[in-house]
Amino acid sequence: MNQPCPQHAHPRRLVQQPLSDLTARLRAQSRKITGPRQAILDVLRSHAIPLTNRQIHHALGKSDCDLATIYRTMHTLLEMGLVRRCDFGDGTARFELSDADDPRHHHHLVCRVCNIVVEIDACLPPQLEADLALRHGFSQIAHHLQFFGVCPRCKEHPDAADPAGLPGRPGPRREP
Amino acid sequence: MNQPCPQHAHPRRLVQQPLSDLTARLRAQSRKITGPRQAILDVLRSHAIPLTNRQIHHALGKSDCDLATIYRTMHTLLEMGLVRRCDFGDGTARFELSDADDPRHHHHLVCRVCNIVVEIDACLPPQLEADLALRHGFSQIAHHLQFFGVCPRCKEHPDAADPAGLPGRPGPRREP
DNA sequence: GATGGATTTGCAAATGGATTGCATCTTCGG
DNA sequence: CCGAAGATGCAATCCATTTGCAAATCCATC
């Protein structure tokens, strides 16, 4: 860790997680493979950035399932470790796939103006959490880290709106 | 930065910010020095950890001012740079003093079980954000970083409840 | 295949943080 | 001391998220 992103634009990740894996995991907890759950996972698979529940709901379109179902499903998937939760500080949870085969730890760089999201792998020095554990007596230490800035495009055109085209977040945020 | 906390228990910081400073800043923006604002700042001064608006409201007790006023005041203080906003991932904003004389950048280590908060100064390697800016073309990069773990006390007594004694957050959170 | 029971879903209502409109009250420069 | 700008209280509202409950769906088993 600690070295910055190897490429300017990090390649989008379109995970093809084998259904069998999901099936096995669900079975193991006497949970069921339902239409909504598969549809939701499909949506997550086809997007490379974290989505809000509302965005997922919107993306589902016709095969519409209830928002409450999406909320419940995300809880389930979180518990099962199939998704990861991201917090961009705007009061709305976002979720991205955390495929079991490649549970790659990473963070995000979010444009304060247009909300575009770039996935990065820069991270904390690995020994830092161990030091914290030692000094404060805490165990099971994990961290949340996100970066905010102004993307090159918004630096150029300070009036452009959400090019990410993702619903669910109106204007710029109020983060420092 | 990057070196961990110099002490096991970071000394609580009870800032005595000169009122004159506040006065000057408020005047400079044609804002007024009101009872509620002073009371809110007093509450923040007497607490060493970030507080939710509800906690502030509760702490105000008799000199009760409306919750809405607290929300508005925090916006104002944020804009003025007198407070800093913290996000512990539970959907509630927290605020701590960011005294102008010592706008020390720091982060928090939060116990997942009892919510106790420890202030730490471990941080990212300084060049990391510069690298990000360079590689992704972003400018004005800042970061949000928080640590979660299980405090020594909760490791011992897995049933203890909120020893911090702070209202506003019921049980443990659902963070990874 | 058909079936029963546990799990899920849809719907609607409720919860909780945060924001806002508006009339009234305060603060503070003059 | 006065008046206007700015603040506050109150109530209504917004939005993300959660929850109760009856109906629908899965799936292990027959």
Side-chain angles (χ1 to χ4, degrees), chain B residues 80-95:
Chain B
M80 298 174 59
L82 286 176
V83 300
R84 197 179 285 127
R85 185 186 150 130
C86 309
D87 183 358
F88 291 173
D90 66 343
T92 310
R94 283 170 171 69
F95 302 91

Side-chain angles (χ1 to χ4, degrees), chain A residues 86-130:
Chain A
C86 309
D87 183 358
F88 290 174
D90 66 341
T92 310
R94 283 170 171 70
F95 301 90
E96 66 180 352
L97 274 189
S98 161
D99 47 299
D101 309 322
D102 176 22
R104 172 174 23 151
H105 179 78
H106 65 263
H107 299 291
H108 298 100
L109 172 55
V110 184
C111 175
R112 261 190 279 271
V113 179
C114 70
N115 301 320
I116 198 177
V117 178
V118 180
E119 190 175 302
I120 61 182
D121 54 10
C123 194
L124 297 171
Q127 84 287 354
L128 203 152
E129 292 187 347

Side-chain angles (χ1 to χ4, degrees), chain A residues 45-157:
Chain A
R45 284 198 194 94
S46 62
H47 290 259
I49 62 171
L51 301 179
T52 67
N53 284 339
R54 187 167 299 279
Q55 289 170 340
I56 294 171
H57 185 242
H58 183 268
L60 283 174
K62 291 309 173 53
S63 60
D64 205 316
C65 77
D66 198 80
L67 242 190
T69 298
I70 299 181
Y71 276 96
R72 283 189 277 231
T73 299
M74 298 323 290
H75 274 291
T76 303
L77 296 179
L78 257 187
E79 266 181 30
M80 299 175 58
L82 286 176
V83 300
R84 196 180 285 129
R85 186 185 151 131
C86 309
D87 183 358
F88 290 174
D90 66 341
T92 310
R94 283 170 171 70
F95 301 90
E96 66 180 352
L97 274 189
S98 161
D99 47 299
D101 309 322
D102 176 22
R104 172 174 23 151
H105 179 78
H106 65 263
H107 299 291
H108 298 100
L109 172 55
V110 184
C111 175
R112 261 190 279 271
V113 179
C114 70
N115 301 320
I116 198 177
V117 178
V118 180
E119 190 175 302
I120 61 182
D121 54 10
C123 194
L124 297 171
Q127 84 287 354
L128 203 152
E129 292 187 347
D131 287 348
L132 281 182
L134 206 58
R135 289 179 188 271
H136 298 282
F138 277 55
S139 50
Q140 302 174 50
I141 295 191
H143 65 271
H144 289 189
L145 172 62
Q146 50 276 145
F147 296 91
F148 300 94
V150 179
C151 75
R153 181 177 178 142
C154 288
K155 199 179 345 181
E156 290 288 323
H157 318 285

